[in-house]
Amino acid sequence: MKNHLVIGLGGTGGKILRALRKNVFQEWRGGEPDQVRLRYLYVDSSKEMMAIDDATWRILGESVQLATRSQLLITGGNLNQILDNISGHPNIQPWIGSRDQWKDILNSIVGETLGGQKRRLGRFLFACKARQFKDQIKQLAGELTTGGDASVTFHLCCGLAGGTGSGAVIDAVAQIRALYRDPKMYRIVVYALLPEEIPNPNWDTGNYHANGYAALVELNALSVGAYQPHDLAERGERLALSDPFNGCYIFCNRNENGLQVDVDKTLPGILADFLFQKLMAVRNAEAMKLLEKMENAENGDGTPETRTGGTTPLRSKRFLTFGIKRLAVPEGEIREYLTYQFARQAALQLRYNNWDDTFGFRDEPRNQDFGEFVRDQQTLERWSLTDEHLTLSRGILPEEINNKKWKPIVKEWLDLLPQLMGLVQTLDDEVWINEIDKLMAQGFDDNFRGLGVRKFYETKLQARKDHVRELRRRVEGELFDEWKNGVKSMHDIARCLSALSAALQERLVASDDRISRAKSVSADAEQKVAANRVAYANVGLVSQLLGKRRGLLDAEGEALRELYTARTQVEAWAYAKRLLQEAISEFNALASDVAACTRLVDDSIKEFQERIDARCNDGATPDLRQPLVRFYNAENVRLFGRELEKDRGEQTRQAQAVRVALIEQFAADPTFSAFQARISRQRFFDVLEQQCAASSQSAHDALVSSNRERRPLLGVNIIGQLEREYSGRTDELKKFIHDLVNQAGNFLEFDPQAVVLGAAKTKVSQFLVILPKAPDLAQFGEALEALFRDNFRGDVPVDIIRSETNLNEITLLGLTNLFPLRYAKATRFLKEQYERRIAQGGNPERIRLELNGEGDGTQWPAILLADERAQRDQALPALLLAKALGLIAAVTSPTTGISELYLIGEDAEGLPVRTRLGKGLPEVFEGIDLTAAQGLVDAVQARLSQDAFRHVDQRTALQAAVRDELKGVLAERRNDFEDPVYRRFETAARAAIQALKND
């Protein structure tokens, strides 16, 4: 089992990791790939993409975000403090540069310190966390190798335009190679995105392109051994590394055929596709060996370019590029299309529950009258919202309902009166009316439900919030159950609550009238009571004998019952009024919770529709220019989806499954308030996507199984798709494959002139065609293999690989290796931008510090060949020094008397050799060939390295000699200080004198 640790440096690296993780998830649905062990590490100075709930790492409701141990945030250190105590940081001190320049840089930063398109700042940040980087690498690599193969391939992905990835890549490579020295067992492969010529708006803050060039120069210097970085994780000593990286892919956003892709949204996915195919789809042993040989530069002459006749390595050929083209049934997109259709249908059911056999669940409500529903006596009874409940004539709380002593108000006084009448009649009839008055008053004041009426309602008024909560519980419980069971939609519930609030408001307004009516009844009863008392007092002996007192007692009892019933109702409706006020507020709060849930559902309906519209909308003809050539019939997908949408049984089932899945998120408290409080927007979308992904797959399989004429959309083998499309149309298939191959190209443009200049051409290209296995279509598969072989150029080898992964696609992988960076067309453009940035930046010293990891960048080998004039200009200081050193002498011909300059030297046998150069230094400058110019430079360097020329006096004398030679040139150019030739010699003289002083 192969071990791979994929490392993302900076924002570009993070996006590549994210896209790769999604690819792996789609293929294995969250499981681990077989035959490959993967680990990841994301290093960045920004935590923007590191949040555990970052939505951009989600796919169909699942998160592929990296665990904390696979992240390294390289910010948060106090850089000013480090600079103030730089001697205590030997890992940083040797290369950090001018403290004054750094103070200026750091003072210009607002907020958190990020890489900020300053490569050395990115390196500074990395240095502060280099030891942690090293520890995490060891931990992750240890996990990969435990109990299996000890070898690991490290893949480092980054962009070269920014500050973090571009600034950290050299040291990330160096730290890994310092830990794992054997380049055969521990391969390091870099994937570096070059800056695009025209960046997105606001991306280029100054150093964008210049960073790219500086990084390429350092990668080249690292590869040829000219750059031995300081050990940032330890004491800062130089790391003596051999084969620091096996290969470095460079690529950009435009391929050889002129196709340009979006750097931010598309290109990370293209590299992730390349990595996926390379690491997981290529299982053929010979193909894997070929890939490794190319990345190790073992398939040709991988030795660096040198100067003509020299041996010092200058330009590495460990660079590669790639191209990828996929012919695919876009199964992931089709799966998403069906999932989002199902999710939208589920959301519409939750929102409106309005079925139409033509459209499925519709995006509009049904017409229903909820005003009648909320006023229906049975509804009010279930919800404890009758007048009897609101006045607490009947209980609302469970303990009130279960209290056997509680009776409705009318019945309470109706039942109490006979008891008191019986008690009174045991006494002397003279006191009957006084006693009944007293006992009924006592019942009202003290005995009603153990407290007396006023005290009872005062107590309940203090507990009215408990009643309100209970009322809400009853109403919300019923409505929630009906929503849960699919009876009512969110729209229905919202309208129901609106109607309920309106009905309660009406009853609230009417409560004052109810109180007035009760008071009126009370007043009438009081008059009756008073009249009865007067009549009772005037009963004579005869009337007494005739039972007049008994009749007046009965009349008084009835009047008292009316009186105290009315007085109780006055108190009860006063309470009901307060209860209604709070209940309306509570139901409005419930309506707000439902509205919040509704808004979430509304957002999802809109969002899922947008996602549906963005997918499976291709025309009939595939675009062969694109990296992903989508080979399918989009209209068939849309028809298939509509057929599933119109299946009422399926949509009802899957909507119910969605509701159940949602409710599981807050099952302990199944309410709308819990819904809106506990289910975030992201969680809501996740639940719908997860559930609907499974439901749409099941529905797809069921429809295909039940209808043989219905071809599947998922699980389709691309070989079968091609066979069905081109059955009996061989010529059209040939043309299709020809055009497909013709549009395949590397994501790097080469400069044809650079390829033929300088050293011998070494660039090597190779193509891999990955075909899925299709045992049932063996004959067609063989014919397809032959077509691919026939349509590649004869000088490009093609390997055909059969794969068991990604059966829905054919992949063409192109690789080109063994080329120096000067072959890339982008290199010259980036160099021009680098030089322009330094020239126009206002502070060249600071700009060079920002761009280069250490020094000013001039210490590294050039990655471009200079043109002839530039090479002569570079040799000019050596020409002046050679004349001053006596390596060039004037020789006069005894025959002609003409003096000419000769380069004086010795051959391999030690015999004198004279090489004619020209009549004067200007003529030598114009006519010297490049080989002789380089020989001149080497001869001067050799002579100056001798002990005789190390003394300061010798150096001073040489400086004077250079000045004299310059005077001679000026005289030869007629003392014209503006003469172009003189100006070049003057510049060269300054350089020669400065070199003598520096040495």
Side-chain angles (χ1 to χ4, degrees):
M1 185 173 284
K2 296 294 184 179
N3 300 318
H4 298 276
L5 177 49
V6 188
I7 303 162
L9 301 175
T12 297
K15 291 170 188 173
I16 293 167
L17 292 190
R18 184 175 64 194
L20 178 60
R21 294 269 289 176
K22 289 184 177 181
N23 282 356
V24 173
F25 177 86
Q26 282 188 316
E27 180 65 21
W28 281 279
R29 309 305 295 173
E32 289 291 325
D34 55 339
Q35 301 183 30
V36 175
R37 299 184 76 180
L38 283 172
R39 291 294 185 274
Y40 306 87
L41 179 60
Y42 173 30
V43 181
D44 203 350
S45 60
S46 169
K47 56 188 174 185
E48 179 183 353
M49 290 171 54
M50 292 187 176
I52 190 67
D53 56 353
D54 187 338
T56 65
W57 291 78
R58 308 194 78 80
I59 176 170
L60 289 180
E62 300 285 349
S63 175
V64 294
Q65 177 62 284
L66 296 166
T68 304
R69 64 191 178 87
S70 292
Q71 297 177 343
L72 175 59
L73 184 63
I74 57 170
T75 191
N78 190 328
L79 303 187
N80 273 306
Q81 190 177 61
I82 292 173
L83 290 172
D84 291 339
N85 300 277
I86 195 65
S87 60
H89 300 274
N91 61 324
I92 296 174
Q93 185 178 18
W95 52 267
I96 193 62
S98 165
R99 183 177 179 277
D100 291 337
Q101 295 288 357
W102 271 108
K103 288 293 185 182
D104 189 28
I105 291 172
L106 296 180
N107 288 339
S108 69
I109 295 172
V110 178
E112 197 169 30
T113 304
L114 309 179
Q117 290 189 17
K118 298 174 176 61
R119 292 188 65 247
R120 198 171 305 190
L121 177 57
R123 189 184 193 196
F124 194 175
L125 293 170
F126 183 83
C128 296
K129 296 291 181 71
R131 185 167 295 178
Q132 189 173 338
F133 172 81
K134 189 174 175 181
D135 291 342
Q136 286 183 249
I137 289 290
K138 287 192 289 186
Q139 177 189 358
L140 294 167
E143 291 176 13
L144 288 169
T145 56
T146 299
D149 187 358
S151 64
V152 180
T153 300
F154 300 89
H155 306 266
L156 285 89
C157 309
C158 66
L160 299 186
T164 304
S166 183
V169 62
I170 297 295
D171 294 295
V173 169
Q175 287 300 314
I176 295 171
R177 181 56 79 217
L179 279 171
Y180 303 98
R181 296 275 178 168
D182 185 348
K184 297 290 185 183
M185 180 170 286
Y186 303 107
R187 300 173 62 246
I188 299 176
V189 183
V190 180
Y191 306 81
L193 170 61
L194 302 181
E196 67 278 21
E197 287 191 18
I198 304 176
N200 289 337
N202 303 318
W203 278 24
D204 183 0
T205 60
N207 294 343
Y208 197 81
H209 296 105
N211 278 339
Y213 181 73
L216 288 179
V217 169
E218 290 179 12
L219 283 165
N220 178 74
L222 182 69
S223 181
V224 298
Y227 186 7
Q228 300 289 350
H230 295 275
D231 188 351
L232 304 190
E234 301 300 335
R235 301 295 302 169
E237 65 277 5
R238 293 279 186 182
L239 291 168
L241 305 174
S242 60
D243 288 322
F245 56 80
N246 297 62
C248 175
Y249 287 92
I250 60 170
F251 57 100
C252 59
N253 71 322
R254 191 164 61 226
N255 76 0
E256 292 174 296
N257 299 317
L259 173 69
Q260 185 163 305
V261 299
D262 186 271
V263 172
D264 184 36
K265 297 180 175 61
T266 307
L267 198 54
I270 290 173
L271 180 62
D273 290 339
F274 175 66
L275 281 168
F276 181 89
Q277 297 295 330
K278 190 163 72 86
L279 303 186
M280 280 156 273
V282 179
R283 300 290 178 82
N284 178 281
E286 288 301 315
M288 292 173 68
K289 186 176 180 180
L290 172 64
L291 275 170
E292 289 193 5
K293 284 183 68 175
M294 294 190 74
E295 291 178 343
N296 295 342
E298 295 172 350
N299 60 320
D301 180 10
T303 58
E305 289 184 344
T306 62
R307 281 198 290 269
T308 303
T311 59
T312 302
L314 298 177
R315 291 176 294 276
S316 171
K317 289 187 283 188
R318 290 294 184 93
F319 294 96
L320 312 88
T321 193
F322 75 92
I324 180 170
K325 186 171 287 293
R326 299 160 58 213
L327 176 68
V329 177
E331 186 168 307
E333 184 170 330
I334 294 170
R335 190 184 302 279
E336 289 178 351
Y337 181 86
L338 296 179
T339 295
Y340 296 143
Q341 275 197 319
F342 268 52
R344 182 174 182 274
Q345 280 290 293
L348 285 172
Q349 195 284 328
L350 297 177
R351 182 68 172 95
Y352 297 115
N353 193 22
N354 184 9
W355 179 262
D356 186 302
D357 288 336
T358 303
F359 301 102
F361 288 110
R362 301 195 63 174
D363 192 2
E364 59 184 23
R366 294 178 292 172
N367 294 322
Q368 297 180 76
D369 182 7
F370 288 99
E372 183 179 347
F373 172 75
V374 299
R375 290 172 174 84
D376 181 78
Q377 193 61 31
Q378 291 183 346
T379 303
L380 297 176
E381 188 69 37
R382 291 195 308 275
W383 290 352
S384 295
L385 284 172
T386 66
D387 288 350
E388 292 283 283
H389 289 97
L390 293 178
T391 57
L392 293 186
S393 180
R394 292 168 60 191
I396 294 176
L397 299 174
E399 61 268 24
E400 295 170 349
I401 296 170
N402 296 327
N403 190 337
K404 302 301 182 182
K405 295 180 180 180
W406 266 42
K407 297 176 184 178
I409 292 173
V410 173
K411 186 171 175 52
E412 179 84 23
W413 291 108
L414 196 61
D415 289 350
L416 178 62
L417 182 61
Q419 297 175 31
L420 299 183
M421 292 287 280
L423 181 61
V424 166
Q425 291 178 54
T426 64
L427 304 175
D428 189 279
D429 61 358
E430 290 183 359
V431 298
W432 283 357
I433 197 164
N434 290 331
E435 286 301 318
I436 195 65
D437 286 352
K438 188 192 324 179
L439 290 174
M440 288 291 279
Q442 189 176 12
F444 181 84
D445 293 333
D446 301 319
N447 297 336
F448 181 83
R449 294 181 181 171
L451 294 171
V453 171
R454 289 192 178 89
K455 187 66 175 176
F456 170 80
Y457 281 107
E458 286 175 3
T459 303
K460 290 303 181 182
L461 195 61
Q462 294 174 4
R464 65 189 180 280
K465 292 190 181 299
D466 293 328
H467 291 113
V468 168
R469 281 192 289 267
E470 179 63 18
L471 292 174
R472 171 170 173 158
R473 186 192 68 79
R474 287 172 176 270
V475 173
E476 186 171 12
E478 179 178 309
L479 294 178
F480 190 88
D481 284 345
E482 290 192 317
W483 175 77
K484 178 177 71 174
N485 297 325
V487 177
K488 279 188 172 63
S489 68
M490 287 284 190
H491 179 80
D492 297 339
I493 292 166
R495 288 191 59 203
C496 184
L497 289 171
S498 177
L500 176 60
S501 290
L504 293 179
Q505 187 66 39
E506 292 172 6
R507 293 167 73 181
L508 174 62
V509 171
S511 62
D512 286 334
D513 183 54
R514 301 296 293 268
I515 293 170
S516 295
R517 284 159 54 192
K519 286 182 177 179
S520 177
V521 171
S522 174
D524 290 345
E526 284 180 355
Q527 290 180 2
K528 292 178 184 178
V529 168
N532 288 331
R533 290 181 65 84
V534 170
Y536 201 90
N538 294 327
V539 172
L541 181 60
V542 175
S543 297
Q544 182 178 349
L545 293 173
L546 294 173
K548 182 71 172 178
R549 285 183 173 172
R550 174 58 191 267
L552 287 172
L553 176 63
D554 289 340
E556 181 72 355
E558 186 60 26
L560 289 170
R561 184 189 66 77
E562 289 180 12
L563 173 64
Y564 288 112
T565 297
R567 286 184 177 178
T568 304
Q569 287 176 335
V570 169
E571 299 295 330
W573 275 104
Y575 169 81
K577 181 178 180 179
R578 296 290 299 277
L579 183 64
L580 278 166
Q581 290 170 340
E582 302 237 2
I584 291 170
S585 177
E586 186 68 24
F587 287 126
N588 286 338
L590 173 57
S592 295
D593 289 339
V594 172
C597 300
T598 301
R599 285 193 296 272
L600 190 56
V601 177
D602 284 343
D603 287 348
S604 73
I605 293 170
K606 180 181 177 182
E607 174 72 19
F608 286 133
Q609 185 61 60
E610 290 174 356
R611 295 184 188 182
I612 291 166
D613 293 342
R615 287 163 175 79
C616 298
N617 52 15
D618 300 273
T621 305
D623 185 353
L624 299 183
R625 298 174 307 135
Q626 299 302 320
L628 171 61
V629 178
R630 301 141 70 80
F631 192 76
Y632 75 122
N633 188 315
E635 180 60 22
N636 284 347
V637 175
R638 292 191 287 271
L639 290 172
F640 196 108
R642 280 199 288 272
E643 191 167 347
L644 292 178
E645 276 187 324
K646 293 188 292 183
D647 186 336
R648 184 168 190 172
E650 182 60 51
Q651 293 302 331
T652 300
R653 281 193 297 273
Q654 72 102 7
Q656 178 63 22
V658 164
R659 285 195 302 275
V660 170
L662 284 170
I663 293 167
E664 284 178 355
Q665 310 300 311
F666 54 97
D669 183 16
T671 61
F672 292 109
S673 56
F675 184 125
Q676 67 91 19
R678 300 186 190 179
I679 296 188
S680 64
R681 185 180 191 277
Q682 186 61 61
R683 190 65 196 135
F684 182 80
F685 275 76
D686 286 349
V687 170
L688 263 69
E689 289 177 34
Q690 291 167 11
Q691 189 60 49
C692 293
S695 296
S696 61
Q697 176 76 60
S698 299
H700 166 275
D701 296 346
L703 182 56
V704 171
S705 177
S706 64
N707 186 350
R708 292 189 176 183
E709 294 182 1
R710 177 63 68 184
R711 293 194 179 279
L713 302 178
L714 304 174
V716 176
N717 192 307
I718 186 66
I719 303 294
Q721 189 87 337
L722 283 167
E723 194 273 339
R724 285 190 296 273
E725 180 69 21
Y726 290 103
S727 178
R729 299 156 55 205
T730 304
D731 289 344
E732 292 182 38
L733 178 62
K734 287 180 180 179
K735 184 178 186 311
F736 179 78
I737 299 301
H738 171 271
D739 293 346
L740 180 71
V741 169
N742 196 46
Q743 289 291 335
N746 293 311
F747 275 93
L748 185 72
E749 295 178 276
F750 290 100
D751 182 350
Q753 291 184 328
V755 172
V756 299
L757 284 175
K761 177 182 175 182
T762 58
K763 180 166 71 78
V764 176
S765 293
Q766 172 78 39
F767 257 96
L768 302 177
V769 179
I770 304 173
L771 296 173
K773 291 184 177 180
D776 298 338
L777 297 166
Q779 185 175 353
F780 182 79
E782 290 173 4
L784 202 58
E785 284 189 26
L787 283 177
F788 276 112
R789 292 186 191 280
D790 291 344
N791 280 286
F792 281 97
R793 296 196 318 267
D795 61 337
V796 178
V798 180
D799 274 13
I800 307 291
I801 300 168
R802 289 290 188 165
S803 173
E804 294 180 353
T805 63
N806 285 23
L807 300 181
N808 61 306
E809 70 179 60
I810 294 171
T811 306
L812 282 62
L813 290 184
L815 286 90
T816 299
N817 75 330
L818 294 174
F819 62 85
L821 291 169
R822 66 185 182 85
Y823 281 18
K825 186 181 288 187
T827 304
R828 187 167 296 277
F829 166 76
L830 294 176
K831 182 175 188 292
E832 291 169 356
Q833 298 302 309
Y834 176 86
E835 292 172 344
R836 180 177 290 112
R837 175 61 176 155
I838 292 173
Q840 299 176 356
N843 183 343
E845 182 184 353
R846 171 174 164 176
I847 298 302
R848 286 186 180 276
L849 183 146
E850 290 180 0
L851 298 176
N852 297 284
E854 66 178 75
D856 62 4
T858 59
Q859 70 272 39
W860 311 129
I863 57 177
L864 285 172
L865 294 175
D867 58 32
E868 290 191 12
R869 173 53 61 91
Q871 290 185 68
R872 288 194 181 96
D873 283 343
Q874 291 172 7
L876 197 50
L879 179 63
L880 290 169
L881 285 169
K883 186 73 164 54
L885 286 164
L887 295 172
I888 294 177
V891 178
T892 303
S893 170
T895 305
T896 63
I898 297 174
S899 293
E900 294 184 294
L901 297 178
Y902 283 80
L903 177 62
I904 310 299
E906 295 180 348
D907 64 13
E909 305 299 328
L911 299 176
V913 174
R914 296 192 306 178
T915 303
R916 181 182 175 280
L917 299 176
K919 292 181 180 179
L921 289 179
E923 182 181 326
V924 172
F925 167 71
E926 292 293 342
I928 191 170
D929 68 65
L930 300 182
T931 302
Q934 187 58 54
L936 198 63
V937 172
D938 293 342
V940 168
Q941 288 178 344
R943 180 64 64 88
L944 288 176
S945 65
Q946 296 175 0
D947 291 341
F949 292 97
R950 293 185 182 278
H951 196 278
V952 65
D953 292 341
Q954 289 290 340
R955 294 283 171 143
T956 301
L958 285 175
Q959 292 174 38
V962 169
R963 295 188 187 96
D964 290 340
E965 294 298 335
L966 181 61
K967 291 176 183 177
V969 172
L970 179 62
E972 187 176 335
R973 306 306 291 182
R974 300 179 181 180
N975 292 316
D976 183 0
F977 286 94
E978 300 303 320
D979 179 81
V981 173
Y982 171 75
R983 296 291 298 272
R984 289 194 182 93
F985 272 89
E986 181 182 349
T987 300
R990 293 183 187 280
I993 291 170
Q994 190 61 45
L996 290 169
K997 289 180 178 179
N998 290 343
D999 287 346

